[in-house]
Amino acid sequence: MKSDVYYFTGTGNSLAVAKDIAKKIEGDLIFIPYALGNGIIKTDAKVVVIIFPVYMWGIPLIIERFIKNFEDLNDKYVYAIATHGGMPGVAINILEKVIESCKGKLSAGFTINMPGNYVPKYGAFPEEKQKKLFDKCGEKVKVIAEYIKTNKQGKKENNNILVNLLFSNLIYNHSAKNIAKMDKNFWVDEKCNKCGICQKICPVCNIDMNSGNPIWNNKCEQCLACLQWCPQEAIQYGKKTPTRKRYHHPNANISDILNQAKK
Ligand SMILES: Cc1cc2nc3c(=O)[nH]c(=O)nc-3n(C[C@H](O)[C@H](O)[C@H](O)COP(=O)(O)O)c2cc1C
Ligand code: SF4
Ligand code: SF4
């Protein structure tokens, strides 16, 4: 059965999962910002897999736009995988509601615990801890791939109902409104050599260069790709990031992230 594997990523965790799933189910790998750049999304694939990071216990804003731009989800098996840093909150639940509002049905939704990348709150996890998470991830991806290949349905991995209510109503709904403008907290320190990589790496073209200095334009997804991949570690967010260790998935490199926007 023809399968499309759509993904969004900032630091490579969701990319690593997407590559592994695409290989195992023999699906086509498609970067969501690229698919969105072509307008309405049409596909004759019967299976659609959507892989993305959890943001603020919910889904990245771009995932909602992506689903709303799909021509017809109604006759497809739709699977979701949310990678997260330990608290997936209501990501699958929120995604399911968006899919249903577009007359689709979520066949199953999974969460995978990966190293967190939210450097405004913490630096990169120790390598040993990362390795344990990658090992577990590998095992879980095998199970999910089998589930998708056999078109099984029903599994929805969410936190319990009380946690859902708290995170969805109080926290996610409040945070989601502010995400695009949270880039006001980025700033650049003296290490910046004006290479322009941050501008090229932003998946939603939110960065312009002004006399060689990056400026952010308030349509941010908060993926942190600009900050995490700056070769000089010159991009900071708020007060605490100058001393925090940067993170990206060990199998992702800067060319993977730069080139995905072209395919
Ligand atoms: C803006 C932002 C918000 C995040 N919020 C959460 C969260 O609520 N819960 C969680 O477990 N991880 C959270 N994370 C961590 C990511 O979900 C996790 O590291 C993910 O695997 C990163 O995927 P990527 O490497 O494909 O970008 C957040 C990360 C970012 C950048
Ligand atoms: S990637 Fe880093 S060093 Fe290069 S222009 Fe952007 S902030 Fe400056
Ligand atoms: S400005 Fe930075 S954090 Fe915002 S979407 Fe672009 S790369 Fe991601």
Side-chain angles (χ1 to χ4, degrees):
M1 204 178 285
K2 184 169 166 12
S3 307
D4 283 350
V5 178
Y6 295 93
Y7 74 95
F8 182 65
T9 192
T11 56
N13 287 349
S14 311
L15 171 63
V17 170
K19 277 186 177 169
D20 202 0
I21 287 282
K23 195 169 163 201
K24 287 189 166 61
I25 68 168
E26 297 178 29
D28 292 327
L29 193 60
I30 305 153
F31 186 45
I32 286 175
Y34 174 79
L36 266 174
N38 294 330
I40 298 293
I41 298 152
K42 300 179 187 177
T43 177
D44 56 359
K46 202 75 188 140
V47 174
V48 167
V49 187
I50 307 167
I51 302 174
F52 59 89
V54 170
Y55 290 169
M56 323 278 177
W57 303 280
I59 64 175
L61 300 178
I62 195 170
I63 298 299
E64 183 164 348
R65 294 202 297 283
F66 165 71
I67 288 162
K68 292 187 168 160
N69 257 38
F70 229 96
E71 187 183 47
D72 192 7
L73 274 176
N74 152 31
D75 62 341
K76 311 211 182 286
Y77 293 100
V78 183
Y79 294 94
I81 306 173
T83 73
H84 63 92
M87 291 199 68
V90 282
I92 296 300
N93 190 279
I94 290 171
L95 184 82
E96 184 169 29
K97 284 191 190 140
V98 179
I99 292 172
E100 284 172 0
S101 75
C102 298
K103 306 206 169 10
K105 179 174 177 281
L106 182 67
S107 298
F110 303 90
T111 57
I112 298 187
N113 194 359
M114 293 291 255
N117 67 352
Y118 194 59
V119 73
K121 287 268 181 282
Y122 48 79
F125 292 7
E127 276 178 27
E128 206 174 312
K129 188 169 173 193
Q130 290 188 24
K131 190 179 171 312
K132 279 190 188 147
L133 291 169
F134 296 140
D135 289 347
K136 277 195 183 158
C137 168
E139 290 308 309
K140 188 152 184 185
V141 166
K142 278 189 211 157
V143 175
I144 298 172
E146 270 314 301
Y147 199 98
I148 297 174
K149 275 207 279 192
T150 49
N151 295 134
K152 274 175 77 175
Q153 299 191 49
K155 187 116 181 139
K156 309 277 164 66
E157 294 185 343
N158 279 304
N159 282 126
N160 71 42
I161 211 155
L162 269 180
V163 178
N164 276 1
L165 277 175
L166 175 71
F167 284 122
S168 65
N169 294 338
L170 293 180
I171 304 183
Y172 179 74
N173 289 345
H174 173 74
S175 320
K177 284 194 287 231
N178 302 324
I179 286 177
K181 292 191 176 163
M182 282 168 66
D183 60 2
K184 65 178 186 300
N185 296 313
F186 284 120
W187 54 281
V188 174
D189 69 24
E190 69 297 339
K191 298 194 290 303
C192 174
N193 63 5
K194 307 189 175 190
C195 69
I197 285 176
C198 50
Q199 181 191 28
K200 293 193 190 96
I201 217 161
C202 176
V204 290
C205 303
N206 183 41
I207 300 177
D208 286 330
M209 300 306 281
N210 182 5
S211 310
N213 299 309
I215 48 168
W216 285 262
N217 289 312
N218 306 141
K219 47 180 181 129
C220 185
E221 288 292 331
Q222 280 287 300
C223 72
L224 297 184
C226 52
L227 182 153
Q228 296 281 17
W229 291 98
C230 166
Q232 307 305 321
E233 300 191 3
I235 301 183
Q236 311 298 345
Y237 187 96
K239 290 190 185 142
K240 298 203 169 143
T241 60
T243 53
R244 287 196 177 137
K245 203 167 167 230
R246 292 341 192 214
Y247 171 78
H248 63 77
H249 190 284
N251 296 346
N253 60 47
I254 198 160
S255 327
D256 294 330
I257 304 293
L258 282 169
N259 290 334
Q260 63 191 349
K262 299 179 194 128
K263 57 188 181 196

